[in-house]
Amino acid sequence: QVQLVQSGAEATKPGASVKVSCKASGYTFITYLIHWVRQAPGQGLEWMGVINPRTGGTKYAPKLQGRVTVTRETSTSTVYMELSSLRSEDTALYFCARERGGIAAPAKDFDYWGQGTLVTVSS
Amino acid sequence: QSALTQPASVSGSPGQSITISCTGTTSDVGSYNLVSWYQQRPGRAPKLMIYEVAKRPSGVSNRFSGSKSGNTASLTISGLQAEDEADYYCCSYTGSTLPYVFGTGTEVTVL
């Protein structure tokens, strides 16, 4: 069965960086796009970026451009999201999600999600 | 690109039907039949309930249905059950530099 398993909670300070992992299993890793979505406490969902695991190509939300980097390691079927210059407003639950349909026919919605990783930014 | 507008809360009694609206613009909801809906229980990951405006993934109850008119999409839950209590988010593809925009979220309460 398809699973996306994320790394554990992180507590970090303003100005630092954090790197969250998302390990995929149950399907062919390089055939589906992986997205990152975050949710601040008590708030809604916010799209952050996407990676094509086959090519490594990425696209990011304009407001995060320059601070967010998504990479992948095909040998371990893992996607990473690194966010730098952290601020208190980056405190959130971070999710990875698979785009339904596969790279050949991307469907523009998300069928499987990781369990979420809480990132807390506080001095 | 602003978040899509949803009512903050909707409630209904067991067995009733409720409808959640999701209002966007001609740049998102109005331009693409690529609206999806997600159910999220507290502390859990979102679950895909509706895709491409009105299609249901395998395993999702047929009590959930979706539709769209102009810039507004809607999710209807019929035969409301206690297990339907959750937050619901719509999402639209935009084709822009911010390709996905989510709704503000709606808390559904079963009375």
Side-chain angles (χ1 to χ4, degrees):
Chain A
Q1 72 283 21
V2 175
Q3 281 192 302
L4 300 175
V5 179
Q6 300 182 221
S7 49
E10 301 267 7
T12 183
K13 295 188 183 304
S17 297
V18 70
K19 192 170 186 177
V20 179
S21 68
C22 170
K23 183 173 176 60
S25 62
Y27 71 97
T28 303
F29 175 66
I30 60 172
T31 59
Y32 286 82
L33 301 175
I34 294 290
H35 298 252
W36 287 89
V37 175
R38 69 179 180 178
Q39 184 173 38
Q43 302 299 309
L45 301 168
E46 179 186 16
W47 184 84
M48 300 178 64
V50 59
I51 188 166
N52 179 328
R54 180 186 296 274
T55 65
T58 55
K59 184 180 181 70
Y60 303 122
K63 69 175 282 189
L64 296 174
Q65 191 81 40
R67 289 206 301 135
V68 65
T69 304
V70 179
T71 56
R72 92 296 192 209
E73 188 173 75
T74 55
S75 63
T76 60
S77 299
T78 302
V79 173
Y80 300 92
M81 186 284 299
E82 184 170 20
L83 190 60
S84 62
S85 302
L86 288 167
R87 312 156 184 166
S88 58
E89 312 88 86
D90 295 317
T91 293
L93 192 56
Y94 288 75
F95 296 100
C96 59
R98 193 184 81 162
E99 181 169 340
R100 191 181 57 85
I103 290 172
K108 313 306 185 190
D109 49 64
F110 316 111
D111 59 355
Y112 288 92
W113 295 66
Q115 82 276 19
T117 296
L118 180 62
V119 174
T120 305
V121 183
S122 173
S123 55
Chain B
Q1 202 95 30
S2 300
L4 308 176
T5 301
Q6 298 180 232
S9 63
V10 173
S11 62
S13 299
Q16 286 187 328
S17 293
I18 61 169
T19 296
I20 303 168
S21 60
C22 168
T23 301
T25 69
T26 53
S27 298
D28 38 62
V29 175
S31 287
Y32 302 93
N33 288 325
L34 294 171
V35 176
S36 50
W37 289 89
Y38 301 86
Q39 176 191 70
Q40 186 182 33
R41 296 197 169 93
R44 305 296 297 274
K47 174 187 176 183
L48 179 65
M49 304 300 285
I50 294 287
Y51 65 92
E52 294 175 6
V53 174
K55 298 177 181 178
R56 268 189 318 274
S58 173
V60 172
S61 171
N62 59 9
R63 297 186 298 105
F64 292 83
S65 61
S67 62
K68 190 186 91 167
S69 177
N71 297 336
T72 299
S74 299
L75 174 71
T76 297
I77 309 175
S78 57
L80 200 60
Q81 299 180 2
E83 67 195 49
D84 300 330
E85 278 206 345
D87 293 330
Y88 291 83
Y89 292 91
C90 60
C91 179
S92 178
Y93 178 71
T94 73
S96 73
T97 53
L98 181 65
Y100 297 91
V101 59
F102 285 91
T104 50
T106 298
E107 180 181 23
V108 168
T109 302
V110 181
L111 301 171

